[in-house]
Amino acid sequence: MTLLVADSLDIRIGDQRIVEGASFAIEAGRSLALVGASGSGKSQTCLAPFGLSPAIVQGSFRLDGEELVGAREARLRHVRGCDVGFVFQQPLTALTPHLTIGAQLREAWTQAGAPRPSRAEMAAALERVGLHDPRERLDQYPHRLSGGQRQRALIAMAIAHRPKLLVADEPTTALDAMLRAEIMALLGRLCDEEGMALLLVSHDLAAVADNADAVAVMHAGRIVETGPTRAVLGDPKSDYARALIAASPRLDAPPPALGPIGAPLVEARQVSVSFARPGWRRGRLLAVDAVDIDVAEGEAVAIVGGSGSGKSTLARAIARLGPIDAGEVRWRGEPLPPRKAMRPRDRAGLQPVFQDPVASLDPLWKVRDIVAEPLRRLRPDLDRMAVAARVEAVLAEVGLDPTLADRRPAALSGGQAQRVAIARALGPGPAMLLLDEATSALDVLVAGTILDLLAELQKQHGLAILMITHDLAVARRLCHRIVVMDAGRIVEEGPAERLIAAPAHPITAKLVAASR
């Protein structure tokens, strides 16, 4: 039975047409994935017909035979509360921070008129979506859960009222490879058990290939290709679908041509980092446990592992951006000063690029000021004219139009904002870049261009790179060597090709399997 039908769907925001003539259908118990680059109209297609966007919707969007285009807000609110469940990209922002998981699950459970659930029923609902210690989770607030745990809790809330349709808008983008696979498998299992239809928005083609029955490829607001998933991804007919597939990093792609490796640059020995346990519990949580790691001049090293494995904590300790309890870090043979004693020349040599490009840029500053700021602080040898010239040079080097220099971050696309962040890091002339999930928030086409840019910059400048990522395919595309972490320790390391081809540790094997 066909549950959802979109026919000639048009969506506008102001004078801009976001979606044009979109048509697709989903049967009960089946799944359809909308894929495409950022700005292609995927999320608006899923959200606007349900009244979750200020957009104007025209055409037809029928759920179980009921037309939603033109429906009153009261009716749409009823549909959202009774017939549809929503799983969003960022579970931390989708959940109410001052309410416990139990309170939010109870609200979702009763919004369709169901009786108030017992504590045992709610615990069983959390256990069903794979949350351990479900009774304890009921009393916790969202910030006390990991990203994967929050997403599982959000899924439990989305299906608590037994909806006919589940809408999942980029539900795994912020998760590591193993969690992505688990969450996608969970969504598929729940749809099979409940007979729900699934409308999935994703730019993760590997996840779509394994978990969606059909796929619709969107570009510039139009559906350019649709059909069974294996047919579309295995033999795409449109140029745009072929470009999407080609841009997706793959473990079976030809090995990249990487630059030469020089003398030792960073030598970290017995690095340990701990944090005070949250809440009423006493003691400290050991996040990084006596880790040794080296990076040479011109070498790209990836630190991979699951969420909470200590990847970012280790990298921030090495770069003096975060705390360190014990251990030594040497830079070109000399001890690197503690965080508060770092000199301008130390900071200039090791520059970071963070995961969320827009959030890492000051929203009130123009691009030229954002790029100039570290130059003024870290390069006192440059006068005003030299700073301006350097800003212009690095913006050109990262492929940005000079006219963007007077824009603010809100007026940039995700890819443009990340190029600005890279330009800011390049300005002081570093010997090493720290990339903390620098492409995970971007769609495959944009992420591919950023990786190509980083590879080119590495070769041109002989840059060393310390990359934090949960995607082995991304690590392989850029890095000479891969270091695998779990529970604060390095469990395996080696040349990228060898480690992926023959993983020795079970954690590495799981990461490889999840990335294929």
Side-chain angles (χ1 to χ4, degrees):
M1 180 189 76
T2 301
L3 180 69
L4 179 68
V5 178
D7 188 12
S8 300
L9 190 68
D10 275 32
I11 301 174
R12 293 176 179 271
I13 297 180
D15 295 331
Q16 185 178 6
R17 179 176 286 179
I18 306 298
V19 176
E20 181 177 0
S23 298
F24 56 85
I26 315 176
E27 295 182 358
R30 307 289 285 177
S31 57
L32 171 73
L34 298 178
V35 302
S38 297
S40 60
K42 307 184 301 296
S43 294
Q44 288 294 334
T45 300
C46 293
L47 302 179
F50 296 105
L52 294 177
S53 164
I56 297 173
V57 184
Q58 296 177 319
S60 178
F61 196 86
R62 300 188 301 279
L63 178 64
D64 203 13
E66 179 182 359
E67 181 61 70
L68 300 185
V69 175
R72 294 178 180 273
E73 172 56 28
R75 183 57 193 165
L76 292 176
R77 191 184 310 115
H78 176 81
V79 169
R80 294 194 299 264
C82 297
D83 299 327
V84 186
F86 296 90
V87 181
F88 298 105
Q89 179 175 352
Q90 294 291 349
L92 186 59
T93 57
L95 295 170
T96 304
H98 65 275
L99 294 179
T100 64
I101 296 299
Q104 296 182 68
L105 179 58
R106 185 182 301 110
E107 180 184 14
W109 195 299
T110 58
Q111 64 185 344
R116 184 184 175 94
S118 67
R119 186 174 177 85
E121 287 175 321
M122 291 194 295
L126 293 184
E127 187 174 24
R128 185 185 181 196
V129 297
L131 270 174
H132 300 296
D133 302 319
R135 290 183 178 273
E136 180 181 344
R137 304 299 177 207
L138 289 173
D139 297 323
Q140 292 180 329
Y141 292 90
H143 72 275
R144 296 288 301 276
L145 275 60
S146 70
Q149 290 171 335
R150 286 192 290 264
Q151 196 63 288
R152 290 177 187 273
L154 192 61
I155 292 170
M157 296 170 199
I159 65 169
H161 57 288
R162 305 181 70 87
K164 302 173 184 175
L165 172 69
L166 186 63
V167 177
D169 187 4
E170 298 284 10
T172 61
T173 298
L175 306 178
D176 65 62
M178 290 187 288
L179 282 175
R180 285 203 308 265
E182 291 174 6
I183 293 298
M184 291 304 303
L186 170 63
L187 290 175
R189 175 174 62 81
L190 292 173
C191 286
D192 289 340
E193 292 175 357
E194 298 289 334
M196 294 183 298
L198 173 63
L199 180 56
L200 172 68
V201 173
S202 180
H203 60 241
D204 185 347
L205 295 188
V208 168
D210 293 335
N211 296 281
D213 298 307
V215 63
V217 182
M218 294 194 71
H219 175 53
R222 290 178 171 271
I223 294 179
V224 298
E225 187 169 353
T226 186
T229 301
R230 291 189 181 277
V232 172
L233 299 185
D235 185 22
K237 306 302 180 186
S238 64
D239 292 339
Y240 184 74
R242 284 193 286 269
L244 276 178
I245 295 168
S248 300
R250 304 191 319 274
L251 291 182
D252 59 354
L258 302 174
I261 297 173
L265 179 65
V266 172
E267 299 168 281
R269 295 290 178 267
Q270 296 296 292
V271 173
S272 294
V273 183
S274 66
F275 299 99
R277 291 185 179 275
W280 53 268
R281 292 174 293 179
R282 295 181 179 181
R284 298 184 68 83
L285 176 67
L286 189 60
V288 177
D289 186 7
V291 167
D292 296 344
I293 188 171
D294 297 331
V295 183
E297 292 178 348
E299 184 182 24
V301 177
I303 305 178
V304 304
S307 298
S309 61
K311 309 184 298 294
S312 294
T313 303
L314 171 62
R316 292 174 70 86
I318 291 172
R320 298 301 193 245
L321 297 173
I324 179 171
D325 292 353
E328 182 184 52
V329 180
R330 301 181 74 85
W331 177 268
R332 290 188 168 131
E334 298 293 329
L336 202 60
R339 180 168 44 160
K340 293 183 179 180
M342 288 281 281
R343 298 155 295 191
R345 69 171 183 268
D346 301 322
R347 290 287 182 207
L350 204 169
Q351 286 289 295
V353 179
F354 298 107
Q355 176 175 358
D356 189 332
V358 176
S360 71
L361 306 178
D362 192 313
L364 301 179
W365 287 14
K366 294 181 179 180
V367 165
R368 67 171 71 255
D369 299 319
I370 290 170
V371 178
E373 189 264 346
L375 291 171
R376 298 190 185 105
R377 293 178 177 273
L378 305 180
R379 293 291 303 273
D381 56 306
L382 299 180
D383 60 22
R384 187 173 181 179
M385 295 290 290
V387 167
R390 180 64 178 158
V391 169
E392 185 177 339
V394 293
L395 287 177
E397 194 169 12
V398 299
L400 286 174
D401 190 308
T403 61
L404 297 179
D406 289 319
R407 291 191 186 179
R408 289 181 170 82
L412 303 173
S413 69
Q416 289 170 336
Q418 196 61 294
R419 287 175 186 267
V420 171
I422 294 170
R424 179 182 60 184
L426 288 177
M432 181 167 127
L433 293 180
L434 167 62
L435 307 177
D436 192 356
E437 300 285 8
T439 61
S440 65
L442 306 174
D443 66 64
V444 290
L445 286 177
V446 175
T449 62
I450 295 298
L451 288 173
D452 290 342
L453 170 64
L454 290 168
E456 185 62 28
L457 292 172
Q458 183 190 20
K459 292 176 184 177
Q460 287 180 4
H461 300 284
L463 285 170
I465 289 177
L466 185 60
M467 170 183 262
I468 314 305
T469 182
H470 54 236
D471 192 328
L472 274 177
V474 169
R476 177 183 179 274
R477 184 165 171 176
L478 193 64
C479 297
H480 299 80
R481 191 158 49 92
I482 294 176
V483 174
V484 182
M485 289 192 69
D486 181 55
R489 291 179 173 271
I490 292 177
V491 297
E492 186 172 0
E493 63 178 301
E497 296 299 322
R498 194 273 301 162
L499 184 140
I500 291 171
H505 195 277
I507 293 294
T508 311
K510 287 183 179 180
L511 285 170
V512 171
S515 299
R516 292 198 183 279

